Amino acid sequence: VAYAHEKGMIHRDLKPANVMIRPNGDPILMDFGVAKMLGGAQHTATGTVIGTALYMAPEQVRGEIPDERADIYSLGVMLFEIATGERPYEGDSAISIMMKHINEAVPDVRALRDDVPQGLADVISRAMAKTREERFQSAAELATALRGISSAPSSRILFG
């Protein structure tokens, strides 16, 4: 994700189905079908919603033009799911899920799984902040925060 952002591209539809794992264990990002080049011509109308409801940033739900921080939010949702085995927001329709991304507080990871390191819960919460300004400002910044957690003894639960 950081590499795509460095090249001026935002994915806009990050979800587990778009991440494949190579035989050596390295992840590879797939399906750039709705990706957008930053600073490029606008190909979608303002107010158009693009993405998958379960992983969509609040600004995407509102039809605003997303930037890299929308991908950060989606990564946060994926991390939430990895850490807890559950999605942060469920509903009976895409619309009800999207409204939860806008209106409901980020669920407490540790309330669902008390064995999740507090540092990881904090990273997930920040990645899923409702406003872009409160999130990590780059995928590289998020990666640095995650690397800091993986060196902590209690994080062996999630990182082996």
Side-chain angles (χ1 to χ4, degrees):
V1 175
Y3 179 79
H5 291 175
E6 288 169 13
K7 299 300 178 191
M9 182 180 294
I10 53 172
H11 193 280
R12 301 195 302 177
D13 194 25
L14 288 177
K15 57 187 175 185
N18 288 340
V19 179
M20 300 298 153
I21 306 298
R22 293 181 180 187
N24 67 0
D26 289 341
I28 185 166
L29 192 54
M30 310 292 288
D31 192 1
F32 282 82
V34 297
K36 179 182 184 317
M37 293 300 291
L38 293 170
Q42 175 102 10
H43 295 293
T44 49
T46 301
T48 302
V49 175
I50 295 176
T52 301
L54 291 167
Y55 302 93
M56 194 176 292
E59 61 270 20
Q60 285 176 278
V61 172
R62 290 189 296 267
E64 299 168 7
I65 298 171
D67 62 17
E68 299 98 327
R69 296 167 296 183
D71 285 350
I72 303 291
Y73 184 91
S74 299
L75 286 170
V77 174
M78 291 169 60
L79 287 168
F80 185 100
E81 192 171 358
I82 291 166
T84 67
E86 298 180 29
R87 295 182 181 119
Y89 306 112
E90 296 280 358
D92 57 3
S93 69
I95 295 295
S96 68
I97 294 167
M98 290 188 298
M99 295 290 70
K100 289 178 181 183
H101 281 289
I102 292 174
N103 297 316
E104 289 191 9
V106 177
D108 181 1
V109 170
R110 290 182 46 84
L112 296 169
R113 288 280 311 266
D114 64 1
D115 60 338
V116 171
Q118 184 62 53
L120 179 58
D122 293 342
V123 167
I124 292 169
S125 182
R126 182 172 173 198
M128 290 183 62
K130 298 299 179 182
T131 65
R132 305 179 220 217
E133 296 75 23
E134 293 179 87
R135 291 182 208 140
F136 293 98
Q137 298 301 293
S138 70
E141 184 182 355
L142 172 59
T144 298
L146 287 170
R147 281 188 203 97
I149 296 164
S150 66
S151 65
S154 64
S155 63
R156 287 194 190 106
I157 295 165
L158 295 171
F159 298 105

